[in-house]
Amino acid sequence: MPYNSTITFTLDTICPWTYLGFVRLRKALTSWTSSNPNSPVTFTLRLAPYQLYPDFSMEGRDKYEWYKKERYNDSPERMQMYIDYMTALGKDDGITFDFSGGTIANTLHAHRILQYLQNNKPPAHAIRALESLYDSYFSHRAHPASHETLTKACLAAGLSEHEAKALVEDDGEELMETKMAIREQVGNAVDSVPYVVFEGKRRDFTLVGAKSVEDYVKVLGQVEKEAS
């Protein structure tokens, strides 16, 4: 009997671990689908919003200085160790992390864009927009809440320039729905990201933190096994 499992991927667009988890999960889905072409189980990836720092301003702060001060006791040496570590992790997954500059800021409107796309467009639109948001912020020092960054994500998703401009400039579009979705995840006991729930026929499977491709593939197999 065919069964479709929804994978709810809870994220924040300025969290490097959700970027790693997102890339690895998508690799796992591609690998699993390729290896199981006749499986009765299909998977749908759904994005869910969460804000690690909801009190951040929209203007934001220097990303390097914030990490150095808030995470590493204002130590340049410890900050460099973190940069080196994340650079190596990213390289393994084809991600170029750049923590040397840029701005860290409130992500509410980035989530609003993703929420609009997910609720009003085919699933691939939100996925492509998230790819753009991650790449812009982590690899190109882009401001995570700027109109330029958000518009670029909308265009990457497939919206026309007119649609993209209208969505980005209308701060109220999908805003209430986005805030409700964030509160829902908090109500689901999410307090860190990535938080990934694989919907199963008999039970759900939850993975917290950025896991390996192999870990994600294993859970996909478990969902299939219990759906039989």
Side-chain angles (χ1 to χ4, degrees):
M1 182 72 68
Y3 174 69
N4 181 259
S5 168
T6 297
I7 303 172
T8 302
F9 185 84
T10 304
L11 65 108
D12 200 358
T13 60
I14 56 172
C15 172
W17 298 104
T18 59
Y19 191 7
L20 287 166
F22 176 71
V23 169
R24 293 172 183 174
L25 176 58
R26 296 195 70 208
K27 286 181 179 179
L29 285 166
T30 298
S31 174
W32 190 89
T33 302
S34 176
S35 301
N36 300 273
N38 299 316
S39 174
V41 178
T42 55
F43 294 94
T44 299
L45 182 57
R46 173 181 170 268
L47 306 178
Y50 182 81
Q51 286 193 283
L52 290 168
Y53 313 108
D55 295 329
F56 273 3
S57 70
M58 289 298 170
E59 291 76 18
R61 299 169 57 183
D62 181 274
K63 181 166 61 176
Y64 174 87
E65 291 298 330
W66 182 86
Y67 269 93
K68 181 166 67 75
K69 181 178 180 180
E70 301 297 332
R71 294 293 185 83
Y72 300 106
N73 199 32
D74 226 7
S75 168
E77 294 78 17
R78 292 180 62 193
M79 182 62 191
Q80 189 58 51
M81 289 175 63
Y82 172 74
I83 290 174
D84 292 344
Y85 177 64
M86 295 305 296
T87 298
L89 279 182
K91 186 176 181 180
D92 289 342
D93 286 298
I95 297 170
T96 301
F97 282 118
D98 185 350
F99 289 91
S100 63
T103 304
I104 189 168
N106 194 292
T107 57
L108 180 61
H109 288 295
H111 286 302
R112 180 178 66 82
I113 297 300
L114 295 174
Q115 190 76 7
Y116 172 86
L117 293 170
Q118 186 156 255
N119 290 344
N120 296 279
K121 300 293 181 179
H125 282 61
I127 299 299
R128 291 198 296 265
L130 180 58
E131 290 174 334
S132 175
L133 290 170
Y134 277 145
D135 181 66
S136 294
Y137 177 71
F138 285 109
S139 300
H140 301 286
R141 306 185 192 179
H143 191 299
S146 73
H147 280 198
E148 180 181 359
T149 299
L150 300 182
T151 299
K152 183 179 178 181
C154 290
L155 295 174
L159 297 188
S160 68
E161 289 190 19
H162 174 75
E163 287 179 298
K165 185 173 185 291
L167 176 58
V168 171
E169 292 183 355
D170 185 353
D171 289 351
E173 181 69 55
E174 211 78 21
L175 183 60
M176 183 176 294
E177 292 84 351
T178 302
K179 290 181 176 180
M180 289 176 61
I182 292 171
R183 286 197 292 269
E184 179 182 354
Q185 292 310 94
V186 173
N188 288 337
V190 175
D191 60 5
S192 64
V193 286
Y195 189 97
V196 191
V197 178
F198 299 76
E199 181 185 50
K201 200 169 186 179
R202 302 177 189 175
R203 58 173 174 152
D204 294 342
F205 300 87
T206 301
L207 293 180
V208 181
K211 304 303 182 184
S212 68
V213 173
E214 292 74 21
D215 287 335
Y216 290 129
V217 169
K218 182 178 179 180
V219 176
L220 297 175
Q222 288 177 307
V223 171
E224 182 193 45
K225 182 178 179 180
E226 294 197 3
S228 303

